[in-house]
Amino acid sequence: MLDKLEAIKARFEDLGVALTNPEIISDNRKFGQLSKEYRSLEKIVDAYRDYRKVLDEVEFYHEALNGSDEEMRELAKEELPLAEERKQKMESSIRQMLIPKDPQDEKNAILEIRAGTGGDEASLFAGDLVRMYLKYCERKGWKTAMLSENEGTVGGYKEVQIEVIGDDVYGTLKFESGVHRVQRVPDTEASGRVHTSAATVAVMPEAEEVDFELKESDVKMETARSGGAGGQNVNKVETKVLLTHIPTGTVVMCQTERSQLGNREKAMNMLRTKLYEEQVRKQEEEIARHRKSLVSTGDRSAKIRTYNFPQGRVTDHRIGLTLYNLQEVLDGHIDEFIEALQFAENAEKMARQN
């Protein structure tokens, strides 16, 4: 581990020198890449420096124990166990830092929520999930923007796409991908029976232009008048944009902006993200097999998490974690689930490394 940390420290120092080079400073893209790498290594290097100090302490106390100074020996007997404990804690923390990160983790994300089986109740539950994630993102200080929405007949949503912008968004939300199941007495159920329905959540890393080359010649654009309330503009101007990626047949639609140009830009970003996500999926199928939070069908039986209203509990089936704070979870307090899932993934990565 020390050799690896020394190599990281050397790379960190090289980057520090490179970032003062006028040629690199003038190249925005190169400067941005190196700055990002520098910041990512800084935490490890700082931890390594503290760890070296503790190693020196441990070595000093060992020498004192074998020395002739009685006072120093007594001090070493008291301080060595504490220093050894600090050393073990630091080693554990540094090993966590050295676990290879998914290169997509730092990206923004597109959050897609769809009603699954369960009719109107599934749409209402999809609406609950939308609210839960929006509240969670707000607490994290992330920015959100509704890209597209298809409302249910009695409320909620049949389908929603939300753009989430912030630090480590994909790395945090990726564990939410999968089928979410709800068990409750619906407002639409007269007899008061507990009803089970489901919604699917898909979290995709948002693609940047540098990640995927989307040729204009491969995209067919169609326009239409936007639906919904919007005044005279909606009735007279075709602002709704439908884009088709000709080589793959992938289709996206956007009608949230007031201008055709604005909708086209957002739709191009959505299309780029979908195509890029497919590319990532093909390249990383091995990694994907290890992640148990992929979306399957919207069937109730294939679930990652259950929200049980009669008992006020939420259970994540991947890690067997049950919490009895259903309302808090629906108010966006999903940190405990996400942290436990991140810990489980890191433990799995460490086991594979060993």
Side-chain angles (χ1 to χ4, degrees), residues 2-222:
L2 287 176
D3 288 344
K4 193 169 186 178
L5 289 168
E6 275 297 331
I8 289 171
K9 181 168 170 279
R11 173 62 180 163
F12 176 75
E13 288 168 354
D14 288 344
L15 286 169
V17 173
L19 288 169
T20 63
N21 185 327
E23 285 185 20
I24 290 174
I25 292 170
S26 62
D27 184 339
N28 287 338
R29 186 175 169 187
K30 185 74 173 172
F31 185 77
Q33 287 174 341
L34 295 184
S35 296
K36 195 173 182 180
E37 187 183 353
Y38 183 86
R39 288 195 302 273
S40 70
L41 296 181
E42 192 169 18
K43 287 181 183 176
I44 299 174
V45 172
D46 286 345
Y48 176 44
R49 285 172 179 152
D50 291 339
Y51 178 58
R52 291 279 352 174
K53 288 176 187 174
V54 172
L55 288 180
D56 290 341
E57 280 182 38
V58 170
E59 187 180 353
F60 172 78
Y61 291 131
H62 273 296
E63 287 176 2
L65 275 177
N66 298 321
S68 57
D69 189 319
E70 182 64 32
E71 196 174 327
M72 288 302 295
R73 281 206 303 271
E74 288 303 314
L75 178 67
K77 280 180 188 175
E78 288 180 25
E79 295 295 332
L80 182 59
L82 298 173
E84 290 278 12
E85 188 180 340
R86 285 198 299 274
K87 176 178 169 247
Q88 286 181 2
K89 284 182 179 176
M90 283 185 173
E91 283 173 354
S92 175
S93 175
I94 289 170
R95 282 197 185 96
Q96 289 280 330
M97 289 181 182
L98 291 176
I99 293 170
K101 286 186 77 174
D102 184 330
Q104 317 306 323
D105 281 356
E106 295 178 355
K107 290 183 177 290
N108 298 325
I110 302 289
L111 184 64
E112 185 178 86
I113 301 165
R114 295 184 182 210
T117 51
D120 289 338
E121 173 62 11
S123 296
L124 291 170
F125 177 51
D128 291 337
L129 291 179
V130 169
R131 177 178 170 273
M132 178 179 84
Y133 290 122
L134 289 176
K135 280 186 167 288
Y136 176 72
C137 293
E138 185 182 349
R139 286 180 49 244
K140 295 284 285 185
W142 294 340
K143 293 180 182 176
T144 55
M146 202 76 84
L147 296 177
S148 67
E149 54 188 298
N150 183 2
E151 294 184 359
T153 52
V154 296
Y157 297 97
K158 290 180 180 176
E159 183 182 342
V160 166
Q161 280 195 330
I162 302 166
E163 180 184 45
V164 186
I165 300 168
D167 294 331
D168 295 320
V169 171
Y170 179 68
T172 305
L173 289 179
K174 65 184 179 184
F175 301 101
E176 295 303 296
S177 290
V179 178
H180 294 242
R181 184 177 69 167
V182 65
Q183 294 172 324
R184 65 182 172 190
V185 178
D187 294 335
T188 54
E189 178 65 61
S191 63
R193 289 184 299 113
V194 173
H195 186 83
T196 301
S197 57
T200 63
V201 176
V203 181
M204 299 173 285
E206 188 173 50
E208 300 160 8
E209 288 200 50
V210 293
D211 291 326
F212 187 86
E213 186 185 356
L214 182 58
K215 295 178 183 174
E216 295 277 348
S217 57
D218 287 343
V219 180
K220 175 187 169 187
M221 184 174 92
E222 297 168 88

